[in-house]
Each structure stands twice: as structure tokens, then as C-alpha cells.
Amino acid sequence: MPDRGGGPTGPRMRVGRPSRRVRTLLMTLGVLAVLLMVFTMFAGFWTDWLWYRSVDYSSVFTTTLWTKIGLFFVFGLLMAFAVGFNIWLAHRMRPPLSAMSLEQQNLDRYRMGIAPYKKWLLLGITALVGLIAGASASSQWRTWLMWVNGVPFGKKDPQFKLDVSFYAFDLPWYRFMLGFGFAAAILSLIAAALTHYLYGGLRVTSPGARATAAATGHLSVLLGIFVALKAVAYWLDRYGLAVKSSDFKATDNWTGLRYVDANAYLPAKTILFCIAVICALLFFATLWRRTWQLPVIGFGLMVLSAILIGGLYPAIVQKFQVQPNEQAKEAPYVEKNLKATREAYGIDDAQVDEYPGTSQTEDKTKLRDQVSETASIRIMDPNIVSPTFQQLQQIRNYYAFPTNLDVDRYSDPKTGEEQDTVIGLRELNLNGIPKRNWINDHFRYTHGYGAVAAKGTSADDGRPVFTESDLPSKGDLGTYEQRVYYGERTTTYSIVGGPQKEIDYSDDSGEKTTSYKGDSGVDLANPINRAAYAAAFSEPQILYSGAIGEGSRILYNRTPKERVEAVAPWLTIDGDAYPAVVDGRIQWIVDAYTTTNGYPYASRTTLGDTTADSLTATNDNRAVVAQENRVNYIRNSVKATVDAYSGEVKLYQWDTKDPVLKTWMKAFPETVEPRSEISGDLMDHLRYPQDLFKVQRELLTRYHVKDATTFLSGSEVWQVPADPTNKTGDAVPPYYQSMKMPDQKEQAFSLTTTFTPNGRDNLSAFMAVDAEAGSEGYGKIRVLKLPTSTTVAGPKQVQSQFNSEQDIAESIRLLRGGDSEVEYGNLLAVPLDGGLLYVEPVYVRGGGLKYPLLRKVLVTYGGQTAFEDTLEQALDKVFGAKGSATEPPPGEDEGSGEDQGTQPPPTSENPSVQAALNDAQDAFQAGQEALKKNDWEAYGKAQKDLEEALRQAEKAQSAEGGSGSGGGGSNASESSPSPDPSPSS
């Protein structure tokens, strides 16, 4: 056609259409963008697979993955089919077009608009609901595996006489299936109703019938399915009463049937089940009757019955039958709850004995001698002395110790006797690296080095008596692989084994380098792996860095808790992993639990609440287990180890009777090794876990009683006291210590705690469990119950007594002089001859020292209190008699006070030694005179002279073949530069 405009008559230009080259480039960029997105999504999956394969737990990854995929497709397709079929059926049942009403004329525009896209719209709707349903179902992989692999508990609930496995494994799956059925029925009903309305099967304003016969029959069947599912729900609710939680004045976490449940709710649910079945049949009958009159009447009757029978009737029973005589009515059900709760938490065998609370022996000398027989009192508090370890044994700034050290047992190589030991690993501290950059953070500084250990019952001038120290570490632990590539502080990835050398450690000769020789981690020589990790870690340098080459391996998921959680996602992990030197390797030992919230009649508890205490509230490496996990059954079924060098994870079956563990072992075969595979050396370091103990002690505050009347009255309710040594107000943590309970013949490594009456501060009970694995009494819980007629001071009262005595208060005021700080250690309680012996170490930090030193020991027994420089002195003062046992050798004093300084060793026959000791005595006296005058400069000079004199004495003694001081460990002056000797007091 001719150009009708007034413009130029030249050829028309193509505006807005890109050239072929540009279109090709845009298409290429689009394809690359899609591929990049797909690869990024794939990278996470691929790196997970590589990691599981590297730790030899690929079966966990594949089992979990295929279970999720199977549930996704099965339930996704079921939901898509249910919704899609009902849409298709409603469309097929649409009535023929007739005289158009105004309503239908308006709908006709929508019908015409979607007509060309009906298939695509149907496909899109079904795909969307299928994806949502499939994703929801895949999250139920644990429920499915427990249902399909469940093994019987061998115990039946008291109401329905069903095995506990029905409630723990079957009922959760049935409830999921029921919920899925409800969702499918409701979505199908909505989709069918909308389709019938769109195509005229349902009318709102049009004259005549509101629904066609086909629409009536279709929707009635869907409503009948919904009501039938409601009948199933009523039937399952009957069994759900056995695991239902409710508020009850006896406890906030009551679980199980009460009188009103058994006599009102249970029959009500049965009646409602019958009514729902009849109502569903009435809906199905509309296929023949073509009217909703009877179904609607039946549905209304069901709703009314649910209100009257399911709600009003139980309220009447509770008000007029239970409340007037509650104890008599509830007693049989409380007894069931008591029995089930004690079984579910493993406290049914707890031994509760009466304990007088006052001493039964008048001979003070004999009583004084009983102390060492009764307990090895630990005065090194692992939660206080970490800064001391840090200052004396850190060696380099890029090493650090955890905030809380751990208590373990190691044999003295000289005597062969086991001793309580405070131990920590010298882990990598990236914040201490001199220069932070990507190479230093991930290639050069890759690991910590060595364990450091000290006697728990001894101190040397307030410092720990190290039995393993220096760098590389040496001492009583023997020869072992000291490199720590996996630890609690190791939270970032490292790339090792390639062309880039790692810093191993430093000594007087300079910096040592190494290259990782283990087979841990994932190989990065493969370019696909490098690309995947570059995408997964959002770090492009992994892809092209020249520091990565042949042999390079990436280490990640490096904390013990992370590794065990990853290889056993069905376990609940204890909040405190602890290290041990086992068979020449440093092994992290991790306690793991199997749990369920489906144990009938057992009251529930929230693990995050019951395992929290003053340590978890203030320290970084003591985590709270499973913060929101509510359970009513727990077992320490698995002991896990993580090799600090290789990262190898091993799971050992500990509780061989636990049906929950057996179920998971069926689901994940060959992932848990039998108990018989635990070596003797490893067995020596396994212990009773703290988090389980804290859960059990919380339950025992109420469930130590066995009769319903006392339980309902609440007169015997206890509480876990707040930690008196700090102001957090959180519960006192349990303490490991070697001690002997009244019915034991010898000391046992134990985990202990105290109880006070609810709302009061005096002592009501003392609890201990045998914590040494492999021993005959392991796991035996003993509770010493004090008489209510006798008032025995509890931890808070003991602490107040310490602080209120004039002499002690004045001494503490002097200790706080200047810029010094007083820190109270663990307040240990030990049953002794009918009474309770309390011991608390007191540390001082300040006066130029950056770490706490043990300066005093507080002891109280039978109303007598002492605040002395050493434990022995304090015990002597409290009992008014000296022990018959010999004093500890030099360098192994239990404590040192500000008026004591460094004590000179006893005299010697060697003239050289004697001369040095005379110098030490002179320096000691000079220090005492300086203290009296508050002349800290003179005191510091005297302390230096004293340390030098002791050093000379040790050299002279060594020259004639004698042994130096230090108690089997390295002297602090030998393992690190001498700190500022200014007194911290």
C-alpha cells in the first residue's frame, strides 16, 4: 500500500527488532543463566553426596534421599490425581447450555476465556497442589521409617492394652495419613464446587434448582468422604487420649488419661464415631435420593453431638464428679502416670534412701580420716580454670581452649591409680592469626595441637598441676596423634594436603610445617568438585586458586556435634562433647539419645528447658540439647566418637534393649556398630551423660514419690537450686567427682546434684549416679532423702553462710583489694557419715595476672565453717583434728592463700639443696612482711626471689638424682614464660 504519511519515502526502518547476532547472544546468555541456576541448585546436592561418601555414611544419604523422593512422588501424585480427577469429573458432569440467566451470562465470559487453556489450567492446578503435598509428605520421612521399621517395646499401655510401639511408631503415621486425607477431601471439594459453579452445575441466583442432580451426587460423595474421615479421626482420638498432654495441678506436663478422659471423653469419642459413620452413609445415599435433606440433618446432629457429648458432658463430669473428690477419682490414673513416667525416663530403678542429715560419729579424728576415703575432692573447677590453661599453655595466640574444660579419669603412670583429671584441647583460634586473609584462614592455619591435662584434686601455688603440657604436649598421656583438625571451635572449612604447606606448630627452633596425610574430606583435584564447592560455599577462589592442586582436600562440618548429627539425623545429640586420648588418638566422645513423645501416660518435658543451667547460659561451648524438642521417652542409646585428626565418626550401640534404636538400626542398617566393638581403652573414658542426668533430676523433683496421694498433695515436690556461685539465677549444673555413697564400699566416678524443697533453700535431697561406664553399677541412681523435720543447709544457704561470717567476709574483702576479682568455683557436696560436707574452691584474678589462681578453700560441715589456704587446712579446722594421712608432697598442695605465697619445700640433707631452701625461706618471710605492709612491689620481688630459690633447689636435687616438684606434670615455669608475679590478692 502507498505511504499515506507526509514523511520521507525511503525504505521503512525496522524498529525494536534486534539483529540475529544480538538474538543469538541473548539466547546464549539465557541458556547460560538457566544452566548456572541449575548447577547452583545441583551443587548443594552434589557436595552433600561427596561429604557423606567421604565419611563412609553414604547409605544414610541415599536412604534419606530415596525415602523423601518416594514420599514426594507418591503423595504428590495422589493429591494431584484426587484434585485433578474431581475437576475433570465436575467438568464432565456439566449441564447442557440452556437459556442464559444474567448469572450465567457473566460466567460465560470466564468459560470462554479459559476454554483454550483448559488442559493447561488443569495441569497447572494439579501440579501445584501435587508439589505442595509432595513437599509436605517428604518432611515426614522419619515418621514413615519408624512406622515401616518399628519393633515392639514389649510393654502394653494400661488402658487399651496395646504395645507402646503403636503409640510411638504407628499412631503418628496414621495421623499423618488422616491429615493428608482431610487435605485431599477439602481441596477436591473446593475444586469440584468451583468447577460445577463455573459450568452451571451449581447456581446461586438463577431461578429453579440450585444444583443439578450430577453436582448434588458428586459433592455429596466428597462430603461423605470428609465425614468418614472425621469418623476415623474420632476413633484415633480414643487412642490419642493415652498420649494427650494437659494441665493438671499435679504437674504442668501431664500426659495420659485422667478420670474425665476415661469416663467422659472416651465414651464420647466412641459415640461420635458411630454418629459420624451414620452421617457419612447418609451423604453417600444422595447418589440415589438426590436430596441433601437427610445428610444435612445428620451433619447438624453430628455437630450438635460434638458440642454436647464431646464438650459439655466432660465438663459436667469434671465439675460435679471429679472436683468434689479429686484425689480418690484421680489416684488410679496418677499411679499409671507415675509408673509410665519413671519407666520412660529410666528412673524407675532409682534408689531413694532416708538420710539423717547430721553426723553420727563423735570422734572427730576418725571423721576427719573418713573424708579421703569418701571422696577425692576436686578443687580444680573446669569451668573456672580455662583462662589459666590459656595463659600458661596457649603458647601461641592462634590456639585457644574451650570456655569449659572437661573432667575425665586417667591412670597415674607411677601408681596405676585413676585420678580425676581436668582436660582440654589446644584448638585452632582463627582470631589469633597474626594476619587474616583467605590463604591463612583456610590453607596455612588448619588445626590445633595437643591436649593439656591437670590433676583435679591438686594445685601448685594456685596453678593447675599439669600432667600433660607444653608444645608438643608431653606427660602422662603417652604418645598419640596430637593434631586437632576437628574440634568444638573448628567451625570453618580448611583445604589441606595440596601444594600449600600448613603451619604445624612453633618451638624454639622456629615454625614447623606439615601437610595433611589423612584421607578425610573431599578431593578437590576434580574440577567439577571444585566448581561445586565454589558455588556451595559462595567462594569463587576455590575454583581458580593456585593453592589448590593434586591431593588437595576440603574439610568441613568439623565440630563433633555437626558430624554426628549429619551421619545420624535420627539422634538427639548431647550438648557437651568431650575429648579423650584413646589408643594413641584424640577422640571426641559424643553422647546421643533416642527419643519419642509417644510413650503412653509418660509426662512430657522440653529438653531445652530441662538441660539449661548456669553453664549453658553463659558459655559458648556448652550447648543446650534440642531446644524445642518435647519428649516423654529418652535413652542414651548411642555412644559416638569423632577422631580429632581424621574426622572418622563411629556410632556404637550402647543401650542394647532400646526399641527406638532397634527401629532406626533397621532403617539404617550397618551404621551402628555393636557394643562389643568398644575397645577397653575407650570404655575407660565413657561416662554418664550430663544432659540425660539433668532431664532425670528434673523429673525426680516430682516423680521420686511412688504413691498417688503424696504426688497429688504436692507436699514432697523438690526443685533444682539456682547456682549460688553466680548471679544468673539459672540451675546449678551437675558435677562429676569421685566419691562413695553410704551403701558403696569404695569410691566411684559419679555425677551429682542437690535438691531443695519447692520454694525453700534448705536441702531436701542429694542425688548421684554411677558415671563410670563398664562398671557394674553404671547408671545406678541413688537419692539420699533428708528428713523434713531437720533443717540442713542447701547450696544457697551455705554460700550465704560463707559470705556472712565476719572473718571470711574480711578475708574476701582483702582478696578483692586493688583490681582483683574473686571467683567462686563449683560448690561440691559430699555425703559424709550422715551429714553433708560442702567444699568450694575460691579463685582470685587480678593484680597483673589475667587468669584465676586458686587462693582459698571454703569448707563447711555440721555447722562448722573454715576458709583456709588449702583443702587439708580447711578440713583440719572444720573437724578440729588433723588427718592421719601424710601431707601431699611439694608442688601438689591443694591451694595457696594470699598470705601463704609459694610454700618452700621441706628441708633436705643435701647442702646445696639446703642452701637454696634457706634462701627460699628467707624470701617467703620477706613476702609475708610485705603483705602485712600492703607493699605489693616488695611482695612481687620476694615472689621472684622465692621462685628462683626453688628453681635452684630443684636443680640441685635433680643433680643428685632426686625428683623435682610438679606432681608428675610440667612445671608452669618450664612450660611458659613466667607471668607477672604480682599477687592477685
Side-chain angles (χ1 to χ4, degrees), residues 55-290:
V55 293
D56 295 326
Y57 282 90
S58 55
S59 62
V60 174
F61 179 82
T62 54
T63 299
T64 304
L65 177 65
W66 286 116
T67 302
K68 290 179 178 179
I69 290 175
L71 292 172
F72 177 87
F73 279 104
V74 169
F75 286 94
L77 290 174
L78 283 175
M79 182 65 77
F81 174 79
V83 174
F85 174 77
N86 281 284
I87 293 175
W88 172 83
L89 188 61
H91 179 266
R92 184 178 178 85
M93 291 179 174
R94 66 189 184 280
L97 293 177
S98 57
M100 302 286 281
S101 64
L102 182 61
E103 179 185 21
Q104 292 302 311
Q105 289 177 7
N106 292 330
L107 289 173
D108 191 52
R109 290 178 300 185
Y110 294 102
R111 287 192 287 263
M112 294 178 64
I114 67 173
Y117 311 105
K118 286 191 295 185
K119 292 183 179 180
W120 291 107
L121 187 61
L122 177 62
L123 183 62
I125 292 173
T126 55
L128 178 63
V129 297
L131 286 173
I132 295 173
S136 176
S138 66
S139 66
Q140 299 294 320
W141 64 272
R142 290 180 177 85
T143 308
W144 161 260
L145 288 176
M146 293 182 78
W147 178 66
V148 76
N149 295 288
V151 301
F153 275 66
K155 294 182 179 179
K156 298 183 182 297
D157 79 284
Q159 181 67 41
F160 301 101
K161 309 304 179 185
L162 297 175
D163 191 89
V164 172
S165 61
F166 171 81
Y167 302 94
F169 306 141
D170 300 344
L171 190 58
W173 178 251
Y174 296 155
R175 282 175 164 169
F176 164 72
M177 292 284 288
L178 185 64
F180 177 83
F182 274 123
I186 292 171
L187 289 176
S188 297
L189 182 63
I190 294 172
L194 289 175
T195 305
H196 280 300
Y197 176 71
L198 182 63
Y199 287 97
L202 289 178
R203 303 180 180 88
V204 178
T205 61
S206 300
R210 299 296 184 188
T212 63
T216 299
H218 184 192
L219 297 180
S220 295
V221 170
L222 291 176
L223 286 169
I225 293 174
F226 176 84
V227 176
L229 290 172
K230 187 62 180 174
V232 176
Y234 282 133
W235 189 256
L236 289 181
D237 284 347
R238 299 169 66 256
Y239 303 109
L241 293 172
V243 290
K244 182 193 72 170
S245 289
S246 60
D247 292 333
F248 189 32
K249 76 174 187 177
T251 175
D252 295 332
N253 299 303
W254 175 272
T255 301
L257 284 82
R258 290 157 50 193
Y259 181 89
V260 68
D261 297 313
N263 295 276
Y265 281 111
L266 187 57
K269 296 293 183 183
T270 305
I271 294 171
L272 290 172
F273 164 76
C274 297
I275 294 175
V277 170
I278 295 172
C279 186
L281 294 176
L282 291 176
F283 274 108
F284 293 142
T286 56
L287 286 173
W288 296 276
R289 293 181 56 85
R290 303 295 181 179

Side-chain angles (χ1 to χ4, degrees), residues 890-907:
E892 295 188 18
D893 301 316
E894 288 82 354
S896 180
E898 51 89 13
D899 59 343
Q900 183 178 353
T902 304
Q903 293 288 347
T907 59

Side-chain angles (χ1 to χ4, degrees), residues 377-380 419-420 454-460 462-466 854 888 891-895 967:
I377 299 174
R378 180 173 45 77
I379 55 175
M380 281 289 112
Q419 58 187 7
D420 291 358
K455 292 185 178 182
T457 56
S458 303
D460 179 9
R463 297 179 177 88
V465 177
F466 291 109
L854 176 65
E892 295 188 18
D893 301 316
E894 288 82 354

Side-chain angles (χ1 to χ4, degrees), residues 425-492:
L425 298 188
R426 194 183 285 112
E427 294 191 47
L428 181 66
N429 174 29
L430 290 179
N431 292 326
I433 294 177
K435 185 178 181 180
R436 298 290 301 274
N437 55 55
W438 188 66
I439 293 294
N440 279 345
D441 286 0
H442 301 291
F443 290 81
R444 287 182 58 76
Y445 295 90
T446 59
H447 60 277
Y449 208 98
V452 176
K455 292 185 178 182
T457 56
S458 303
D460 179 9
D461 190 25
R463 297 179 177 88
V465 177
F466 291 109
T467 58
E468 183 80 8
S469 59
D470 297 340
L471 183 67
S473 295
K474 55 182 178 291
D476 292 354
L477 302 186
T479 303
Y480 59 96
E481 173 56 65
Q482 297 196 20
R483 297 173 183 86
V484 181
Y485 283 89
Y486 296 87
E488 290 179 308
R489 301 179 64 95
T490 315
T491 56
T492 188

